Amino acid sequence: MDQSGSMSDEDISMLFSELETFANLTNLDVFHFDTQVDERSKTVWKKGRAFPVAHRTRCGGTDFQAVANFCNRRENRGKYSGIVILTDGYAPVMGQILGSRVCWVITEGGTMDTVRPGDLAVKMKAQDKRFKRY
């Protein structure tokens, strides 16, 4: 989850709400990032379990390559079949992630310019404000 300075508290709340929906379907390992992946922020969300409280651990710039580098490290390579990047999209395009498909969940005010060919992408809409606030 992108927690850079360009991500508003409302954006973070919307993304946590989306993660809660995903966690009803599968187990998730969630990491926060900005220019680096915050490995200490790792939260394992178990399917059907209580949802963690939304919080922020980063607030710098944004570098998607940090996510790619983390996923491509020997100990992480192939560990995840899918990588979901929750972001506003404001950063340079990242390189390849080996052994995993990538899905982008872009905030309503974000840009799709960083989505690479072949990746999946969803742009959120919050116009009805039905998402849960944390």
Side-chain angles (χ1 to χ4, degrees):
M1 177 185 294
D2 180 355
Q3 293 207 339
S4 64
S6 64
M7 295 288 292
S8 70
D9 289 343
E10 185 171 277
D11 290 339
I12 300 275
S13 290
M14 281 180 51
L15 295 178
F16 265 86
S17 185
E18 285 304 308
L19 286 174
E20 183 174 26
T21 301
F22 292 152
N24 287 326
L25 305 172
T26 190
N27 295 334
L28 303 171
D29 289 349
V30 178
F31 295 89
H32 302 169
F33 76 94
D34 54 9
T35 59
Q36 297 178 341
V37 173
D38 181 1
E39 294 183 53
R40 292 181 299 164
S41 73
K42 179 181 179 182
T43 305
V44 179
W45 293 349
K46 299 277 186 181
K47 181 179 177 181
R49 297 279 175 95
F51 190 70
V53 176
H55 61 285
R56 202 184 258 281
T57 64
R58 311 298 284 178
C59 201
T62 312
D63 184 359
F64 298 127
Q65 191 58 42
V67 175
N69 293 344
F70 173 81
C71 293
N72 290 335
R73 286 194 337 219
R74 179 173 299 223
E75 66 270 19
N76 295 332
R77 194 175 310 143
K79 183 176 182 179
Y80 304 106
S81 59
I83 307 299
V84 179
I85 300 174
L86 300 109
T87 182
D88 58 8
Y90 293 105
V93 175
M94 74 176 176
Q96 182 179 6
I97 293 180
L98 304 171
S100 299
R101 296 285 317 258
V102 176
C103 176
W104 299 82
V105 177
I106 309 289
T107 60
E108 184 176 36
T111 178
M112 302 283 278
D113 292 345
T114 56
V115 176
R116 304 164 314 162
D119 288 348
L120 302 171
V122 175
K123 182 133 185 198
M124 299 177 70
K125 289 192 177 193
Q127 61 198 22
D128 60 11
K129 304 295 184 195
R130 288 187 296 171
F131 61 89
K132 187 185 293 183
R133 293 185 185 274
Y134 294 93

